[in-house]
Amino acid sequence: WGHSCAITDTGALKCWGKNDYGQLGDGTLRDHRHPVDVVGLSSGVVAVSLGTEHTCALTDAGAVKCWGYNQHGQLGNGTRHQSRVPVDVVGLSSGMTAVSAGFAHTCASTFEGEIRCWGQNQYGPLGDGTTHDRRQPVDVIGFVGP
């Protein structure tokens, strides 16, 4: 949608581009035409995924952190307040293997192959059998991975 991120060879996360909701994670709302450091993620990042106006990262400890726009709870921290810096996703401080951000929702998988999702749920992308937005992760019903 207007921002990009990359993980350095030392596991630091850097982002650049549009930043009107803090989706670059540098603590500001300023757009950047060059990579800037994401606050608190100077090492240990193993994956990153970008939504429309939010960003999420997976750490080597298996934790998921998100930042940026949060109108639908897509940061997973139990609020609807945007954040200019990474915040912890409720209940996902370890044990996660992947993260994937969508338009205004996010999902992550566990070591056991379960999927947890949060954020906008207008058409049911969270897989919890409802169309209610979720501000923190919910289990995808009936999905158990390999």
Side-chain angles (χ1 to χ4, degrees):
W1 179 257
H3 73 295
S4 299
C5 297
I7 303 167
T8 70
D9 57 358
T10 61
L13 186 60
K14 295 183 178 279
C15 297
W16 60 96
K18 188 176 177 180
N19 195 32
D20 50 349
Y21 295 103
Q23 60 264 47
L24 300 185
D26 70 334
T28 75
L29 295 177
R30 290 190 310 269
D31 296 345
H32 292 280
R33 294 181 181 168
H34 57 83
V36 294
D37 295 329
V38 175
V39 173
L41 295 177
S42 60
S43 66
V45 177
V46 296
V48 63
S49 187
L50 287 63
T52 304
E53 294 168 325
H54 76 289
T55 308
C56 296
L58 176 69
T59 71
D60 57 5
V64 177
K65 297 176 179 287
C66 298
W67 57 97
Y69 194 57
N70 196 31
Q71 179 181 3
H72 303 284
Q74 57 263 49
L75 301 188
N77 66 340
T79 76
R80 287 182 38 188
H81 303 291
Q82 71 187 35
S83 179
R84 300 176 188 182
V85 297
V87 294
D88 295 328
V89 175
V90 174
L92 304 186
S93 60
S94 66
M96 308 312 293
T97 59
V99 63
S100 182
F103 176 77
H105 74 285
T106 309
C107 295
S109 62
T110 69
F111 283 117
E112 295 81 24
E114 298 167 339
I115 305 292
R116 298 200 175 112
C117 299
W118 59 96
Q120 187 177 35
N121 200 24
Q122 181 178 1
Y123 302 105
L126 304 187
D128 68 345
T130 76
T131 55
H132 304 292
D133 291 356
R134 302 295 183 176
R135 296 179 192 171
Q136 57 189 39
V138 294
D139 292 331
V140 173
I141 295 173
F143 186 89
V144 178

PDB file of all heavy atoms in Angstrom, residues 3-6 13-15 18-19 22-25 38 41 47-57 64-69 74-75 83 85-87 89 99 101-102 106 118:
ATOM      1  N   HIS A   3       4.327   1.106   1.890  1.00  0.00           N
ATOM      2  CA  HIS A   3       5.529   0.970   2.710  1.00  0.00           C
ATOM      3  C   HIS A   3       6.152  -0.399   2.485  1.00  0.00           C
ATOM      4  O   HIS A   3       5.498  -1.335   2.015  1.00  0.00           O
ATOM      5  CB  HIS A   3       5.239   1.247   4.184  1.00  0.00           C
ATOM      6  CG  HIS A   3       4.467   0.207   4.933  1.00  0.00           C
ATOM      7  ND1 HIS A   3       3.162  -0.131   4.654  1.00  0.00           N
ATOM      8  CD2 HIS A   3       4.818  -0.568   5.982  1.00  0.00           C
ATOM      9  CE1 HIS A   3       2.737  -1.054   5.497  1.00  0.00           C
ATOM     10  NE2 HIS A   3       3.733  -1.347   6.311  1.00  0.00           N
ATOM     11  N   SER A   4       7.442  -0.474   2.800  1.00  0.00           N
ATOM     12  CA  SER A   4       8.201  -1.709   2.624  1.00  0.00           C
ATOM     13  C   SER A   4       9.084  -1.921   3.837  1.00  0.00           C
ATOM     14  O   SER A   4       9.418  -0.968   4.541  1.00  0.00           O
ATOM     15  CB  SER A   4       9.099  -1.628   1.379  1.00  0.00           C
ATOM     16  OG  SER A   4       8.335  -1.439   0.217  1.00  0.00           O
ATOM     17  N   CYS A   5       9.469  -3.166   4.071  1.00  0.00           N
ATOM     18  CA  CYS A   5      10.368  -3.501   5.177  1.00  0.00           C
ATOM     19  C   CYS A   5      11.310  -4.610   4.737  1.00  0.00           C
ATOM     20  O   CYS A   5      10.990  -5.387   3.838  1.00  0.00           O
ATOM     21  CB  CYS A   5       9.596  -3.983   6.406  1.00  0.00           C
ATOM     22  SG  CYS A   5       8.489  -2.773   7.140  1.00  0.00           S
ATOM     23  N   ALA A   6      12.446  -4.688   5.417  1.00  0.00           N
ATOM     24  CA  ALA A   6      13.410  -5.747   5.160  1.00  0.00           C
ATOM     25  C   ALA A   6      14.159  -6.079   6.445  1.00  0.00           C
ATOM     26  O   ALA A   6      14.339  -5.218   7.310  1.00  0.00           O
ATOM     27  CB  ALA A   6      14.402  -5.322   4.080  1.00  0.00           C
ATOM     28  N   LEU A  13      15.251  -5.018  11.868  1.00  0.00           N
ATOM     29  CA  LEU A  13      14.179  -4.697  10.936  1.00  0.00           C
ATOM     30  C   LEU A  13      14.237  -3.223  10.570  1.00  0.00           C
ATOM     31  O   LEU A  13      14.367  -2.357  11.443  1.00  0.00           O
ATOM     32  CB  LEU A  13      12.820  -5.027  11.554  1.00  0.00           C
ATOM     33  CG  LEU A  13      11.618  -4.864  10.624  1.00  0.00           C
ATOM     34  CD1 LEU A  13      11.734  -5.770   9.399  1.00  0.00           C
ATOM     35  CD2 LEU A  13      10.332  -5.166  11.375  1.00  0.00           C
ATOM     36  N   LYS A  14      14.150  -2.959   9.271  1.00  0.00           N
ATOM     37  CA  LYS A  14      14.145  -1.589   8.762  1.00  0.00           C
ATOM     38  C   LYS A  14      12.956  -1.439   7.818  1.00  0.00           C
ATOM     39  O   LYS A  14      12.645  -2.354   7.062  1.00  0.00           O
ATOM     40  CB  LYS A  14      15.440  -1.282   8.022  1.00  0.00           C
ATOM     41  CG  LYS A  14      16.657  -1.314   8.946  1.00  0.00           C
ATOM     42  CD  LYS A  14      17.910  -0.943   8.202  1.00  0.00           C
ATOM     43  CE  LYS A  14      19.099  -0.935   9.115  1.00  0.00           C
ATOM     44  NZ  LYS A  14      19.216   0.289   9.896  1.00  0.00           N
ATOM     45  N   CYS A  15      12.293  -0.280   7.895  1.00  0.00           N
ATOM     46  CA  CYS A  15      11.133  -0.018   7.047  1.00  0.00           C
ATOM     47  C   CYS A  15      11.252   1.361   6.417  1.00  0.00           C
ATOM     48  O   CYS A  15      11.966   2.223   6.921  1.00  0.00           O
ATOM     49  CB  CYS A  15       9.850  -0.091   7.872  1.00  0.00           C
ATOM     50  SG  CYS A  15       9.504  -1.723   8.595  1.00  0.00           S
ATOM     51  N   LYS A  18       5.477   5.183   3.130  1.00  0.00           N
ATOM     52  CA  LYS A  18       4.359   5.892   3.747  1.00  0.00           C
ATOM     53  C   LYS A  18       4.269   5.544   5.226  1.00  0.00           C
ATOM     54  O   LYS A  18       4.448   4.392   5.609  1.00  0.00           O
ATOM     55  CB  LYS A  18       3.069   5.494   3.025  1.00  0.00           C
ATOM     56  CG  LYS A  18       1.863   6.275   3.425  1.00  0.00           C
ATOM     57  CD  LYS A  18       0.667   5.867   2.574  1.00  0.00           C
ATOM     58  CE  LYS A  18      -0.564   6.628   3.045  1.00  0.00           C
ATOM     59  NZ  LYS A  18      -1.743   6.281   2.256  1.00  0.00           N
ATOM     60  N   ASN A  19       3.948   6.559   6.061  1.00  0.00           N
ATOM     61  CA  ASN A  19       3.975   6.344   7.510  1.00  0.00           C
ATOM     62  C   ASN A  19       2.886   7.138   8.226  1.00  0.00           C
ATOM     63  O   ASN A  19       3.071   7.572   9.355  1.00  0.00           O
ATOM     64  CB  ASN A  19       5.355   6.730   8.065  1.00  0.00           C
ATOM     65  CG  ASN A  19       5.593   6.209   9.465  1.00  0.00           C
ATOM     66  OD1 ASN A  19       5.110   5.153   9.842  1.00  0.00           O
ATOM     67  ND2 ASN A  19       6.355   6.953  10.242  1.00  0.00           N
ATOM     68  N   GLY A  22       2.046   5.336  11.509  1.00  0.00           N
ATOM     69  CA  GLY A  22       3.146   4.760  12.281  1.00  0.00           C
ATOM     70  C   GLY A  22       3.548   3.380  11.819  1.00  0.00           C
ATOM     71  O   GLY A  22       4.271   2.664  12.521  1.00  0.00           O
ATOM     72  N   GLN A  23       3.136   2.980  10.626  1.00  0.00           N
ATOM     73  CA  GLN A  23       3.413   1.630  10.129  1.00  0.00           C
ATOM     74  C   GLN A  23       4.893   1.346   9.867  1.00  0.00           C
ATOM     75  O   GLN A  23       5.277   0.200   9.685  1.00  0.00           O
ATOM     76  CB  GLN A  23       2.565   1.297   8.898  1.00  0.00           C
ATOM     77  CG  GLN A  23       2.761   2.203   7.702  1.00  0.00           C
ATOM     78  CD  GLN A  23       1.742   3.325   7.618  1.00  0.00           C
ATOM     79  OE1 GLN A  23       1.471   3.998   8.601  1.00  0.00           O
ATOM     80  NE2 GLN A  23       1.209   3.554   6.437  1.00  0.00           N
ATOM     81  N   LEU A  24       5.734   2.379   9.910  1.00  0.00           N
ATOM     82  CA  LEU A  24       7.180   2.145   9.783  1.00  0.00           C
ATOM     83  C   LEU A  24       7.809   1.761  11.115  1.00  0.00           C
ATOM     84  O   LEU A  24       8.913   1.232  11.150  1.00  0.00           O
ATOM     85  CB  LEU A  24       7.892   3.374   9.205  1.00  0.00           C
ATOM     86  CG  LEU A  24       7.442   3.827   7.819  1.00  0.00           C
ATOM     87  CD1 LEU A  24       8.315   4.976   7.331  1.00  0.00           C
ATOM     88  CD2 LEU A  24       7.433   2.678   6.826  1.00  0.00           C
ATOM     89  N   GLY A  25       7.133   2.042  12.215  1.00  0.00           N
ATOM     90  CA  GLY A  25       7.612   1.616  13.529  1.00  0.00           C
ATOM     91  C   GLY A  25       8.779   2.401  14.090  1.00  0.00           C
ATOM     92  O   GLY A  25       9.409   1.954  15.046  1.00  0.00           O
ATOM     93  N   VAL A  38      13.315   0.089  13.062  1.00  0.00           N
ATOM     94  CA  VAL A  38      12.078  -0.126  13.807  1.00  0.00           C
ATOM     95  C   VAL A  38      12.449  -0.185  15.286  1.00  0.00           C
ATOM     96  O   VAL A  38      13.342  -0.948  15.681  1.00  0.00           O
ATOM     97  CB  VAL A  38      11.373  -1.424  13.358  1.00  0.00           C
ATOM     98  CG1 VAL A  38      10.156  -1.696  14.228  1.00  0.00           C
ATOM     99  CG2 VAL A  38      10.990  -1.331  11.888  1.00  0.00           C
ATOM    100  N   LEU A  41      13.476  -3.414  17.583  1.00  0.00           N
ATOM    101  CA  LEU A  41      13.715  -4.606  16.764  1.00  0.00           C
ATOM    102  C   LEU A  41      15.044  -4.489  16.020  1.00  0.00           C
ATOM    103  O   LEU A  41      15.127  -4.612  14.804  1.00  0.00           O
ATOM    104  CB  LEU A  41      12.542  -4.833  15.797  1.00  0.00           C
ATOM    105  CG  LEU A  41      11.203  -5.154  16.461  1.00  0.00           C
ATOM    106  CD1 LEU A  41      10.100  -5.288  15.423  1.00  0.00           C
ATOM    107  CD2 LEU A  41      11.292  -6.408  17.320  1.00  0.00           C
ATOM    108  N   ALA A  47      10.926 -12.825  10.576  1.00  0.00           N
ATOM    109  CA  ALA A  47       9.934 -12.654   9.506  1.00  0.00           C
ATOM    110  C   ALA A  47       9.203 -11.337   9.713  1.00  0.00           C
ATOM    111  O   ALA A  47       9.072 -10.855  10.840  1.00  0.00           O
ATOM    112  CB  ALA A  47       8.945 -13.808   9.504  1.00  0.00           C
ATOM    113  N   VAL A  48       8.707 -10.781   8.614  1.00  0.00           N
ATOM    114  CA  VAL A  48       7.921  -9.557   8.658  1.00  0.00           C
ATOM    115  C   VAL A  48       6.809  -9.679   7.627  1.00  0.00           C
ATOM    116  O   VAL A  48       6.986 -10.323   6.585  1.00  0.00           O
ATOM    117  CB  VAL A  48       8.794  -8.304   8.397  1.00  0.00           C
ATOM    118  CG1 VAL A  48       9.407  -8.328   7.009  1.00  0.00           C
ATOM    119  CG2 VAL A  48       8.007  -7.027   8.631  1.00  0.00           C
ATOM    120  N   SER A  49       5.653  -9.096   7.939  1.00  0.00           N
ATOM    121  CA  SER A  49       4.541  -9.082   6.999  1.00  0.00           C
ATOM    122  C   SER A  49       3.843  -7.735   7.096  1.00  0.00           C
ATOM    123  O   SER A  49       3.644  -7.213   8.196  1.00  0.00           O
ATOM    124  CB  SER A  49       3.568 -10.221   7.305  1.00  0.00           C
ATOM    125  OG  SER A  49       2.569 -10.300   6.298  1.00  0.00           O
ATOM    126  N   LEU A  50       3.477  -7.176   5.948  1.00  0.00           N
ATOM    127  CA  LEU A  50       2.896  -5.844   5.890  1.00  0.00           C
ATOM    128  C   LEU A  50       1.442  -5.910   5.471  1.00  0.00           C
ATOM    129  O   LEU A  50       1.115  -6.520   4.449  1.00  0.00           O
ATOM    130  CB  LEU A  50       3.660  -4.969   4.899  1.00  0.00           C
ATOM    131  CG  LEU A  50       5.031  -4.493   5.309  1.00  0.00           C
ATOM    132  CD1 LEU A  50       6.012  -5.626   5.515  1.00  0.00           C
ATOM    133  CD2 LEU A  50       5.568  -3.529   4.295  1.00  0.00           C
ATOM    134  N   GLY A  51       0.574  -5.290   6.277  1.00  0.00           N
ATOM    135  CA  GLY A  51      -0.811  -5.093   5.900  1.00  0.00           C
ATOM    136  C   GLY A  51      -0.917  -3.773   5.160  1.00  0.00           C
ATOM    137  O   GLY A  51       0.091  -3.170   4.791  1.00  0.00           O
ATOM    138  N   THR A  52      -2.123  -3.309   4.971  1.00  0.00           N
ATOM    139  CA  THR A  52      -2.302  -2.050   4.261  1.00  0.00           C
ATOM    140  C   THR A  52      -1.642  -0.894   4.989  1.00  0.00           C
ATOM    141  O   THR A  52      -0.868  -0.148   4.400  1.00  0.00           O
ATOM    142  CB  THR A  52      -3.801  -1.758   4.062  1.00  0.00           C
ATOM    143  OG1 THR A  52      -4.383  -2.877   3.384  1.00  0.00           O
ATOM    144  CG2 THR A  52      -4.011  -0.508   3.245  1.00  0.00           C
ATOM    145  N   GLU A  53      -1.946  -0.759   6.281  1.00  0.00           N
ATOM    146  CA  GLU A  53      -1.384   0.343   7.059  1.00  0.00           C
ATOM    147  C   GLU A  53      -0.901  -0.127   8.425  1.00  0.00           C
ATOM    148  O   GLU A  53      -0.859   0.638   9.374  1.00  0.00           O
ATOM    149  CB  GLU A  53      -2.423   1.467   7.194  1.00  0.00           C
ATOM    150  CG  GLU A  53      -2.728   2.090   5.840  1.00  0.00           C
ATOM    151  CD  GLU A  53      -3.929   2.995   5.829  1.00  0.00           C
ATOM    152  OE1 GLU A  53      -4.914   2.715   6.554  1.00  0.00           O
ATOM    153  OE2 GLU A  53      -3.893   3.986   5.083  1.00  0.00           O
ATOM    154  N   HIS A  54      -0.569  -1.395   8.522  1.00  0.00           N
ATOM    155  CA  HIS A  54       0.023  -1.940   9.748  1.00  0.00           C
ATOM    156  C   HIS A  54       1.096  -2.943   9.350  1.00  0.00           C
ATOM    157  O   HIS A  54       1.142  -3.405   8.206  1.00  0.00           O
ATOM    158  CB  HIS A  54      -1.032  -2.569  10.672  1.00  0.00           C
ATOM    159  CG  HIS A  54      -1.553  -3.901  10.258  1.00  0.00           C
ATOM    160  ND1 HIS A  54      -2.384  -4.076   9.168  1.00  0.00           N
ATOM    161  CD2 HIS A  54      -1.385  -5.134  10.791  1.00  0.00           C
ATOM    162  CE1 HIS A  54      -2.698  -5.355   9.054  1.00  0.00           C
ATOM    163  NE2 HIS A  54      -2.096  -6.023  10.025  1.00  0.00           N
ATOM    164  N   THR A  55       1.980  -3.240  10.294  1.00  0.00           N
ATOM    165  CA  THR A  55       3.097  -4.128  10.044  1.00  0.00           C
ATOM    166  C   THR A  55       3.241  -5.060  11.238  1.00  0.00           C
ATOM    167  O   THR A  55       3.002  -4.657  12.374  1.00  0.00           O
ATOM    168  CB  THR A  55       4.400  -3.310   9.890  1.00  0.00           C
ATOM    169  OG1 THR A  55       4.184  -2.276   8.920  1.00  0.00           O
ATOM    170  CG2 THR A  55       5.561  -4.186   9.439  1.00  0.00           C
ATOM    171  N   CYS A  56       3.635  -6.315  10.980  1.00  0.00           N
ATOM    172  CA  CYS A  56       3.854  -7.271  12.061  1.00  0.00           C
ATOM    173  C   CYS A  56       5.163  -8.015  11.826  1.00  0.00           C
ATOM    174  O   CYS A  56       5.547  -8.265  10.683  1.00  0.00           O
ATOM    175  CB  CYS A  56       2.711  -8.277  12.145  1.00  0.00           C
ATOM    176  SG  CYS A  56       1.113  -7.546  12.573  1.00  0.00           S
ATOM    177  N   ALA A  57       5.815  -8.366  12.917  1.00  0.00           N
ATOM    178  CA  ALA A  57       7.083  -9.093  12.834  1.00  0.00           C
ATOM    179  C   ALA A  57       7.047 -10.301  13.761  1.00  0.00           C
ATOM    180  O   ALA A  57       6.377 -10.297  14.792  1.00  0.00           O
ATOM    181  CB  ALA A  57       8.241  -8.174  13.222  1.00  0.00           C
ATOM    182  N   VAL A  64       5.126 -12.416  18.384  1.00  0.00           N
ATOM    183  CA  VAL A  64       4.606 -11.573  17.311  1.00  0.00           C
ATOM    184  C   VAL A  64       4.387 -10.169  17.875  1.00  0.00           C
ATOM    185  O   VAL A  64       3.808 -10.007  18.951  1.00  0.00           O
ATOM    186  CB  VAL A  64       3.293 -12.128  16.735  1.00  0.00           C
ATOM    187  CG1 VAL A  64       2.733 -11.193  15.670  1.00  0.00           C
ATOM    188  CG2 VAL A  64       3.500 -13.527  16.161  1.00  0.00           C
ATOM    189  N   LYS A  65       4.857  -9.178  17.124  1.00  0.00           N
ATOM    190  CA  LYS A  65       4.695  -7.769  17.482  1.00  0.00           C
ATOM    191  C   LYS A  65       4.139  -7.044  16.262  1.00  0.00           C
ATOM    192  O   LYS A  65       4.524  -7.343  15.133  1.00  0.00           O
ATOM    193  CB  LYS A  65       6.029  -7.156  17.875  1.00  0.00           C
ATOM    194  CG  LYS A  65       6.640  -7.792  19.122  1.00  0.00           C
ATOM    195  CD  LYS A  65       8.010  -7.226  19.426  1.00  0.00           C
ATOM    196  CE  LYS A  65       8.605  -7.848  20.668  1.00  0.00           C
ATOM    197  NZ  LYS A  65       7.976  -7.404  21.902  1.00  0.00           N
ATOM    198  N   CYS A  66       3.220  -6.089  16.502  1.00  0.00           N
ATOM    199  CA  CYS A  66       2.610  -5.338  15.406  1.00  0.00           C
ATOM    200  C   CYS A  66       2.582  -3.849  15.731  1.00  0.00           C
ATOM    201  O   CYS A  66       2.643  -3.463  16.894  1.00  0.00           O
ATOM    202  CB  CYS A  66       1.185  -5.831  15.162  1.00  0.00           C
ATOM    203  SG  CYS A  66       1.044  -7.567  14.674  1.00  0.00           S
ATOM    204  N   TRP A  67       2.420  -3.017  14.690  1.00  0.00           N
ATOM    205  CA  TRP A  67       2.365  -1.564  14.874  1.00  0.00           C
ATOM    206  C   TRP A  67       1.699  -0.934  13.663  1.00  0.00           C
ATOM    207  O   TRP A  67       1.576  -1.550  12.616  1.00  0.00           O
ATOM    208  CB  TRP A  67       3.748  -0.979  15.108  1.00  0.00           C
ATOM    209  CG  TRP A  67       4.739  -1.270  14.019  1.00  0.00           C
ATOM    210  CD1 TRP A  67       5.071  -0.454  12.970  1.00  0.00           C
ATOM    211  CD2 TRP A  67       5.524  -2.462  13.857  1.00  0.00           C
ATOM    212  NE1 TRP A  67       6.009  -1.069  12.175  1.00  0.00           N
ATOM    213  CE2 TRP A  67       6.311  -2.296  12.700  1.00  0.00           C
ATOM    214  CE3 TRP A  67       5.629  -3.642  14.575  1.00  0.00           C
ATOM    215  CZ2 TRP A  67       7.180  -3.278  12.235  1.00  0.00           C
ATOM    216  CZ3 TRP A  67       6.508  -4.620  14.125  1.00  0.00           C
ATOM    217  CH2 TRP A  67       7.275  -4.433  12.968  1.00  0.00           C
ATOM    218  N   GLY A  68       1.228   0.310  13.854  1.00  0.00           N
ATOM    219  CA  GLY A  68       0.571   1.050  12.786  1.00  0.00           C
ATOM    220  C   GLY A  68      -0.905   1.264  13.069  1.00  0.00           C
ATOM    221  O   GLY A  68      -1.316   1.437  14.221  1.00  0.00           O
ATOM    222  N   TYR A  69      -1.720   1.233  12.025  1.00  0.00           N
ATOM    223  CA  TYR A  69      -3.160   1.472  12.102  1.00  0.00           C
ATOM    224  C   TYR A  69      -3.835   0.341  12.867  1.00  0.00           C
ATOM    225  O   TYR A  69      -3.434  -0.816  12.752  1.00  0.00           O
ATOM    226  CB  TYR A  69      -3.719   1.564  10.686  1.00  0.00           C
ATOM    227  CG  TYR A  69      -5.101   2.137  10.577  1.00  0.00           C
ATOM    228  CD1 TYR A  69      -5.390   3.398  11.073  1.00  0.00           C
ATOM    229  CD2 TYR A  69      -6.106   1.430   9.937  1.00  0.00           C
ATOM    230  CE1 TYR A  69      -6.664   3.946  10.943  1.00  0.00           C
ATOM    231  CE2 TYR A  69      -7.374   1.967   9.797  1.00  0.00           C
ATOM    232  CZ  TYR A  69      -7.646   3.221  10.300  1.00  0.00           C
ATOM    233  OH  TYR A  69      -8.903   3.746  10.168  1.00  0.00           O
ATOM    234  N   GLN A  74      -6.259  -4.801  14.404  1.00  0.00           N
ATOM    235  CA  GLN A  74      -5.268  -5.581  13.661  1.00  0.00           C
ATOM    236  C   GLN A  74      -3.886  -5.639  14.309  1.00  0.00           C
ATOM    237  O   GLN A  74      -3.044  -6.418  13.886  1.00  0.00           O
ATOM    238  CB  GLN A  74      -5.176  -5.140  12.200  1.00  0.00           C
ATOM    239  CG  GLN A  74      -4.848  -3.695  11.961  1.00  0.00           C
ATOM    240  CD  GLN A  74      -6.077  -2.843  11.715  1.00  0.00           C
ATOM    241  OE1 GLN A  74      -7.055  -2.894  12.447  1.00  0.00           O
ATOM    242  NE2 GLN A  74      -6.027  -2.025  10.685  1.00  0.00           N
ATOM    243  N   LEU A  75      -3.665  -4.864  15.364  1.00  0.00           N
ATOM    244  CA  LEU A  75      -2.395  -4.984  16.098  1.00  0.00           C
ATOM    245  C   LEU A  75      -2.453  -6.096  17.136  1.00  0.00           C
ATOM    246  O   LEU A  75      -1.416  -6.532  17.642  1.00  0.00           O
ATOM    247  CB  LEU A  75      -2.017  -3.661  16.772  1.00  0.00           C
ATOM    248  CG  LEU A  75      -1.857  -2.448  15.852  1.00  0.00           C
ATOM    249  CD1 LEU A  75      -1.302  -1.274  16.635  1.00  0.00           C
ATOM    250  CD2 LEU A  75      -1.009  -2.765  14.640  1.00  0.00           C
ATOM    251  N   SER A  83      -0.401   2.516  16.932  1.00  0.00           N
ATOM    252  CA  SER A  83       0.878   2.587  17.631  1.00  0.00           C
ATOM    253  C   SER A  83       1.986   2.874  16.627  1.00  0.00           C
ATOM    254  O   SER A  83       2.063   2.239  15.570  1.00  0.00           O
ATOM    255  CB  SER A  83       1.170   1.269  18.354  1.00  0.00           C
ATOM    256  OG  SER A  83       2.418   1.350  19.013  1.00  0.00           O
ATOM    257  N   VAL A  85       5.101   2.392  17.347  1.00  0.00           N
ATOM    258  CA  VAL A  85       6.179   1.451  17.670  1.00  0.00           C
ATOM    259  C   VAL A  85       5.572   0.063  17.881  1.00  0.00           C
ATOM    260  O   VAL A  85       4.383  -0.061  18.170  1.00  0.00           O
ATOM    261  CB  VAL A  85       6.962   1.890  18.933  1.00  0.00           C
ATOM    262  CG1 VAL A  85       7.659   3.227  18.710  1.00  0.00           C
ATOM    263  CG2 VAL A  85       6.058   1.950  20.141  1.00  0.00           C
ATOM    264  N   PRO A  86       6.363  -0.992  17.763  1.00  0.00           N
ATOM    265  CA  PRO A  86       5.843  -2.345  17.949  1.00  0.00           C
ATOM    266  C   PRO A  86       5.227  -2.573  19.331  1.00  0.00           C
ATOM    267  O   PRO A  86       5.758  -2.104  20.345  1.00  0.00           O
ATOM    268  CB  PRO A  86       7.082  -3.221  17.761  1.00  0.00           C
ATOM    269  CG  PRO A  86       7.975  -2.424  16.876  1.00  0.00           C
ATOM    270  CD  PRO A  86       7.766  -1.004  17.319  1.00  0.00           C
ATOM    271  N   VAL A  87       4.092  -3.283  19.329  1.00  0.00           N
ATOM    272  CA  VAL A  87       3.429  -3.695  20.567  1.00  0.00           C
ATOM    273  C   VAL A  87       3.288  -5.211  20.541  1.00  0.00           C
ATOM    274  O   VAL A  87       3.226  -5.830  19.475  1.00  0.00           O
ATOM    275  CB  VAL A  87       2.044  -3.026  20.743  1.00  0.00           C
ATOM    276  CG1 VAL A  87       2.195  -1.527  20.923  1.00  0.00           C
ATOM    277  CG2 VAL A  87       1.119  -3.351  19.590  1.00  0.00           C
ATOM    278  N   VAL A  89       1.524  -8.737  20.707  1.00  0.00           N
ATOM    279  CA  VAL A  89       0.214  -9.300  20.426  1.00  0.00           C
ATOM    280  C   VAL A  89      -0.163 -10.170  21.624  1.00  0.00           C
ATOM    281  O   VAL A  89       0.639 -10.999  22.075  1.00  0.00           O
ATOM    282  CB  VAL A  89       0.234 -10.127  19.123  1.00  0.00           C
ATOM    283  CG1 VAL A  89      -1.108 -10.813  18.907  1.00  0.00           C
ATOM    284  CG2 VAL A  89       0.590  -9.233  17.939  1.00  0.00           C
ATOM    285  N   VAL A  99       3.884 -15.356  10.527  1.00  0.00           N
ATOM    286  CA  VAL A  99       2.913 -14.279  10.653  1.00  0.00           C
ATOM    287  C   VAL A  99       2.563 -13.791   9.255  1.00  0.00           C
ATOM    288  O   VAL A  99       3.431 -13.756   8.372  1.00  0.00           O
ATOM    289  CB  VAL A  99       3.434 -13.121  11.534  1.00  0.00           C
ATOM    290  CG1 VAL A  99       4.661 -12.461  10.928  1.00  0.00           C
ATOM    291  CG2 VAL A  99       2.334 -12.111  11.820  1.00  0.00           C
ATOM    292  N   ALA A 101       0.102 -10.644   7.514  1.00  0.00           N
ATOM    293  CA  ALA A 101      -0.808  -9.512   7.649  1.00  0.00           C
ATOM    294  C   ALA A 101      -1.613  -9.347   6.369  1.00  0.00           C
ATOM    295  O   ALA A 101      -1.061  -9.404   5.269  1.00  0.00           O
ATOM    296  CB  ALA A 101      -0.022  -8.238   7.942  1.00  0.00           C
ATOM    297  N   GLY A 102      -2.920  -9.151   6.531  1.00  0.00           N
ATOM    298  CA  GLY A 102      -3.797  -8.882   5.402  1.00  0.00           C
ATOM    299  C   GLY A 102      -4.148  -7.413   5.351  1.00  0.00           C
ATOM    300  O   GLY A 102      -3.486  -6.576   5.973  1.00  0.00           O
ATOM    301  N   THR A 106      -4.680  -9.925  10.708  1.00  0.00           N
ATOM    302  CA  THR A 106      -3.403 -10.621  10.755  1.00  0.00           C
ATOM    303  C   THR A 106      -3.629 -12.023  11.284  1.00  0.00           C
ATOM    304  O   THR A 106      -4.522 -12.245  12.100  1.00  0.00           O
ATOM    305  CB  THR A 106      -2.418  -9.876  11.686  1.00  0.00           C
ATOM    306  OG1 THR A 106      -2.373  -8.500  11.309  1.00  0.00           O
ATOM    307  CG2 THR A 106      -1.020 -10.457  11.595  1.00  0.00           C
ATOM    308  N   TRP A 118      -6.629 -12.112  14.096  1.00  0.00           N
ATOM    309  CA  TRP A 118      -7.212 -10.956  14.775  1.00  0.00           C
ATOM    310  C   TRP A 118      -7.342  -9.806  13.797  1.00  0.00           C
ATOM    311  O   TRP A 118      -6.723  -9.791  12.751  1.00  0.00           O
ATOM    312  CB  TRP A 118      -6.368 -10.548  15.983  1.00  0.00           C
ATOM    313  CG  TRP A 118      -4.942 -10.186  15.658  1.00  0.00           C
ATOM    314  CD1 TRP A 118      -4.449  -8.933  15.446  1.00  0.00           C
ATOM    315  CD2 TRP A 118      -3.839 -11.087  15.500  1.00  0.00           C
ATOM    316  NE1 TRP A 118      -3.107  -8.994  15.167  1.00  0.00           N
ATOM    317  CE2 TRP A 118      -2.706 -10.309  15.201  1.00  0.00           C
ATOM    318  CE3 TRP A 118      -3.696 -12.465  15.576  1.00  0.00           C
ATOM    319  CZ2 TRP A 118      -1.448 -10.862  14.973  1.00  0.00           C
ATOM    320  CZ3 TRP A 118      -2.445 -13.020  15.349  1.00  0.00           C
ATOM    321  CH2 TRP A 118      -1.342 -12.225  15.058  1.00  0.00           C
TER     322      TRP A 118
END
